[in-house]
Amino acid sequence: MTDQVKLSPDSAKDRPAERETFDVVIVGAGFGGLAALHKFRDELGYSVRLIEAASGAGGVWYWNGYPGARCDVESLQYALAFSPELTQEWSWTERFSAQPEILAYVNHVVERFDMARDMRLDTRVTSASYDETSANWIIKTDRGDQYDARYVIMATGPLSTPYMPAWPGLDDFKGEIHHTGLWPHEPVDLSDKRVAIVGTGSSGVQAATAVSQEAEHLFVFQRTPHHIVPATNRPLDGDEQNAVKARYPELYANWTSSPAGMSWRSLPTDDPVVTGDKSALEVGDEERQATFERAWNYGGTTLHRSFNDLLIDERASQYANEFIAGKIATLVKDPETAALLVPTQYYGTKRLILETGYYEIFNQPNVTLVDAKSDPIECLTAKGIRTGSTDYDVDVIIFATGYDALTGSLNRIDIRGRDGMTLADAWRDGPQSHLGIMVSGFPNIFLISGPQSPSALANVIVANEQQVNWVSDAVRYLDDHDIPAMEPETEAQAKWVEEVNARGMASIYTKGANWYWGANINGKSPSFLCFINFADYKAACDEIASTHYSGFVLADAKQSA
Ligand code: N01
C-alpha cells in the first residue's frame, strides 16, 4: 500500500499557516471530497483547496483499519465513476473488498489525478463563517490557516464521528482502549491478550471474527442481536471483471436509477431467482424456505430482496427472522448462546450485517458472548468492564459502538451563516435542509452525504458523485448567470424535511433504535436522517436543476454588491 503521509508534501506537521483565497474549499478527503476535487479543479478549472484532518486520504477507509474491516457493497459497484479510464484500469481481487485494498485504491486515485498538491492533510477545519458583504466564506483551521472561498463543500462523511457511551471509569482502565472508527495506523498486537469488543453492528461483527483468531480470550458484549447473514465473499476473476468493464456505462446508468444506488441482475454472476418479485406470504412454506436458502447461500444483501415485502409486512419479516434463527441453531453449538444471537426486532430495522465465519467463533473455547442487555455494562474499572453481575478483566477494550451519524461531523465545526447564525443552533431540533445539500440561511455551502440525503442508505460512492455533479451544475449556473449566492427557500426546505420524515416514519427503520434517526445516541433530537430511495432523490434533484433551481433563492448580483 502507498505510504499516505508521503503523498502530500504539505502534510509535514510544521508547515507554515496559510492565508489564501480559492474558488472552492472542500472539507474531507473521502470519496465525496476526492470526487469534488476532480470535478471542480480538473473538469471546471476552479481553484480548489481540500482540507483533511487525517494524515491521508480515504475518510472512513483511512480511519477504519480495525482487524477484519471490509466493505459490504460489492467491489465492482463500489468505485468512483468520474473517469472512464479509472473504471477500466483498476481491478479488484475479491467480491467484497477488505479495507487495505480500498485504501490502496484511494491512494491510486490521489496519485493518478495528482490530487495531493491541492490537499492539506493533518489539518482540521475549526470554523467556516459567511461574510454577507463579500458573499464569501472564511474558513479557519487548527493549524492557523485562513482560507477565503466563494463556495464551500462539506464532504465530512455520514459516519465519521465515532460515538462512545460515557461510561463511568473510562479513565480508570489501565489497559488499551480503541474505537473501530479511530483505529491506530501502528500495529495493534492482540495476540495472547484478553480482549473485549463492545457492540455487534457491522464493525463489531467484523472485528470480533478477526480478533477471535488471535486473542487469548475474546468477550463480545452484545446488547441487541442484529440480523447477520453470510457475505459469501470470494475471489473475483478477470473474466467477471472484464464483463462488467465492457458494459460499464450501461451498468452505471442502472445503478444511478435504482433505489439503493446499486443494482443486482446486472452483474454477470447474479442469480435472478434471489431477487424476488413475490410476497413472502403468497408462496408455500417449501418455496419460501428454498428461496431463503438460495439467497443465504448466494450471500451479500440478497436476503433483503428474496421477497418484496420483508421490509414492509410484519408476518413476512417474521418469516425471515425464523429462517435466520434456524440457521443460527445449526451454526452455533451451545443452545443458550445460539438463542442469544437470534434477532427479535423486525427484519431490516437495523442495517443488515454481512459475516464470514462470525457465528462459528462462538464454538471456540476462547470466545464468550456476553448478554449486555440483561446484564448491562455499568462502568469500566482499572482492570476491565463491570456489568451488573460480573467483572470482566481484560487487557484491551475495543469499542464498536458506532457513530454520531450524519450530523456529528458537521456540528463539531463552528459553521456560521447569515447574521452569525450557527448550524448547530439551526439544527437544535433536528437537521433542516433542502435535498440534504443546502441549508436556509447558509448560502453557497454545500453538503455531500448530508443529513436528509440518501447517501448512508445507498451505495455511498454513487450517491456522492451524483451530489457532486448536482452541486457543480448549480455552481456553474450561478457563475454563468453572474449570481453571487444561492440558498434554499424556507418553505421548500420545510417541505423536504417533512417528506424525509414521512418516508422514515412509514418505513421499517423507525421501528427500532438505530442511527438512521439518531436513536443510538442519548439526547440526540429524533428526526429521520436519510432520504429513502436514491432513484426518487435523483429524480427530485434533476427536476430542480431543470427548473433553474426552483425552491432555491438565487440572489441577484446588484443586491449583494
Ligand atoms: O455501529 P452500529 P457500526 N452498551 O451503530 C452497541 C457502516 N459500516 O460501527 O444495537 C452496549 O451499527 C450497539 O448496540 P444496540 C454501516 O452503515 C459499514 O457497527 O444499539 N452496547 C451496536 O451493537 C453501519 O451500519 C461497514 O443495542 C452498545 C453497536 O454498539 C454503520 O457503519 C463496516 C452501547 C453499534 O453498532 C455503523 O456500524 C462498518 C451501550 N451503551 C461500518 N452503545 C461495512 O461496509 C452502543 N452499543 C461492512
Side-chain angles (χ1 to χ4, degrees):
M1 190 194 313
T2 318
D3 181 336
Q4 298 233 357
V5 180
K6 285 184 191 144
L7 275 176
S8 168
D10 303 300
S11 66
K13 301 257 191 275
D14 58 353
R15 72 165 172 80
E18 297 180 327
R19 186 167 183 142
E20 288 189 62
T21 299
F22 295 95
D23 297 321
V24 182
V25 163
I26 300 167
V27 186
F31 281 115
L34 298 183
L37 176 56
H38 176 77
K39 171 64 80 177
F40 280 94
R41 188 193 70 179
D42 299 342
E43 290 186 26
L44 303 183
Y46 283 77
S47 64
V48 179
R49 171 67 80 236
L50 187 153
I51 306 163
E52 166 59 56
S55 300
V60 289
W61 295 111
Y62 176 88
W63 292 109
N64 280 258
Y66 60 85
R70 189 176 285 284
C71 188
D72 60 7
V73 177
E74 304 215 16
S75 314
L76 292 172
Q77 302 188 61
Y78 193 77
L80 289 159
F82 63 66
S83 153
E85 295 78 22
L86 179 65
T87 63
Q88 296 300 311
E89 73 198 14
W90 184 264
S91 293
W92 298 101
T93 62
E94 294 179 273
R95 180 183 181 194
F96 295 102
S97 299
Q99 176 266 349
E101 188 169 4
I102 299 173
L103 202 51
Y105 171 73
V106 166
N107 289 336
H108 170 74
V109 170
V110 170
E111 281 179 320
R112 168 95 171 60
F113 298 97
D114 191 18
M115 292 179 165
R117 69 184 153 93
D118 292 309
M119 287 163 53
R120 293 294 176 267
L121 302 176
D122 296 311
T123 306
R124 185 172 286 283
V125 169
T126 51
S127 68
S129 314
Y130 186 64
D131 174 9
E132 290 188 50
T133 318
S134 63
N136 263 348
W137 282 87
I138 299 159
I139 298 99
K140 294 187 178 171
T141 78
D142 63 355
R143 306 278 301 257
D145 308 303
Q146 180 175 318
Y147 302 109
D148 288 17
R150 183 130 172 254
Y151 303 108
V152 179
I153 306 215
M154 301 300 295
T156 42
L159 292 157
S160 46
T161 298
Y163 166 68
M164 204 156 87
W167 281 298
L170 269 174
D171 294 335
D172 298 338
F173 180 58
K174 300 277 184 263
E176 277 176 58
I177 290 186
H178 299 290
H179 191 288
T180 48
L182 283 174
W183 199 259
H185 279 244
E186 303 74 44
V188 177
D189 181 12
L190 298 172
S191 58
D192 305 323
K193 300 254 170 73
R194 289 169 64 82
V195 181
I197 293 184
V198 182
T200 52
S202 304
S203 309
V205 164
Q206 291 181 336
T209 309
V211 172
S212 72
Q213 302 308 305
E214 54 174 329
E216 179 199 309
H217 201 95
L218 171 65
F219 297 95
V220 179
F221 287 77
Q222 170 194 274
R223 190 169 60 181
T224 308
H226 292 224
H227 290 89
I228 306 170
V229 301
T232 317
N233 192 24
R234 57 178 168 74
L236 279 178
D237 69 34
D239 289 350
E240 191 175 343
Q241 304 213 42
N242 290 338
V244 169
K245 287 177 182 179
R247 293 169 54 211
Y248 202 85
E250 173 208 337
L251 294 177
Y252 193 75
N254 280 348
W255 305 338
T256 53
S257 55
S258 72
M262 54 189 150
S263 116
W264 308 280
R265 291 191 182 176
S266 60
L267 299 181
T269 49
D270 277 351
D271 180 343
V273 176
V274 296
T275 302
D277 296 327
K278 291 182 184 169
S279 155
L281 310 182
E282 72 178 89
V283 299
D285 289 350
E286 209 172 304
E287 183 179 341
R288 189 167 45 246
Q289 195 68 10
T291 304
F292 279 148
E293 190 72 35
R294 195 161 171 153
W296 179 273
N297 291 333
Y298 184 73
T301 53
T302 41
L303 195 67
H304 255 21
R305 304 181 299 283
S306 53
F307 292 101
N308 62 16
D309 52 358
L310 296 188
L311 300 178
I312 301 166
D313 182 89
E314 205 173 310
R315 183 71 192 116
S317 160
Q318 214 174 323
Y319 280 135
N321 276 3
E322 287 162 11
F323 174 79
I324 292 174
K327 284 292 180 191
I328 295 172
T330 63
L331 292 166
V332 179
K333 288 184 190 145
D334 172 45
E336 260 181 49
T337 307
L340 268 184
L341 288 164
V342 171
T344 49
Q345 76 270 24
Y346 287 108
Y347 175 84
T349 315
K350 288 179 188 267
R351 176 157 162 148
L352 189 67
I353 296 173
L354 305 190
E355 60 86 40
T356 304
Y358 177 66
Y359 291 118
E360 290 86 343
I361 69 172
F362 297 103
N363 298 328
Q364 294 177 199
N366 70 330
V367 179
T368 305
L369 182 65
V370 179
D371 181 5
K373 182 159 219 117
S374 67
D375 189 17
I377 296 173
E378 287 190 344
C379 63
L380 268 61
T381 65
K383 290 184 173 174
I385 295 179
R386 177 171 296 161
T387 66
S389 75
T390 310
D391 275 355
Y392 295 89
D393 292 354
V394 292
D395 306 302
V396 182
I397 301 175
I398 297 172
F399 289 105
T401 39
Y403 294 88
D404 183 354
L406 290 133
T407 51
S409 297
L410 292 162
N411 279 340
R412 65 181 175 173
I413 300 174
D414 182 10
I415 299 174
R416 289 171 190 262
R418 287 189 192 285
D419 304 321
M421 175 172 49
T422 67
L423 190 68
D425 271 343
W427 285 4
R428 200 153 296 287
D429 298 323
Q432 313 283 318
S433 80
H434 195 13
L435 300 176
I437 293 180
M438 295 203 85
V439 181
S440 180
F442 296 80
N444 290 3
I445 187 166
F446 300 91
L447 314 179
I448 303 298
S449 277
Q452 298 165 345
S453 79
S455 316
L457 270 182
N459 180 348
V460 72
I461 303 186
V462 167
N464 279 178
E465 287 200 78
Q466 179 268 339
Q467 289 194 317
V468 166
N469 290 338
W470 190 91
V471 170
S472 64
D473 286 347
V475 162
R476 247 188 352 194
Y477 184 84
L478 298 184
D479 287 351
D480 288 350
H481 295 83
D482 202 19
I483 298 166
M486 75 185 279
E487 65 180 287
E489 290 171 2
T490 48
E491 208 171 293
Q493 175 168 290
K495 271 193 188 153
W496 185 257
V497 177
E498 205 181 310
E499 174 73 17
V500 171
N501 280 301
R503 285 179 185 238
M505 290 313 294
S507 77
I508 196 84
Y509 303 117
T510 42
K511 295 212 184 318
N514 57 52
W515 55 261
Y516 298 130
W517 57 293
N520 62 326
I521 293 187
N522 280 342
K524 185 160 173 171
S525 178
S527 162
F528 203 69
L529 296 170
C530 305
F531 184 92
I532 296 174
N533 196 317
F534 175 73
D536 290 355
Y537 176 80
K538 182 172 180 300
C541 290
D542 290 348
E543 165 75 15
I544 287 170
S546 73
T547 53
H548 307 305
Y549 303 96
S550 54
F552 286 83
V553 184
L554 305 184
D556 91 30
K558 272 188 197 152
Q559 276 176 350
S560 74

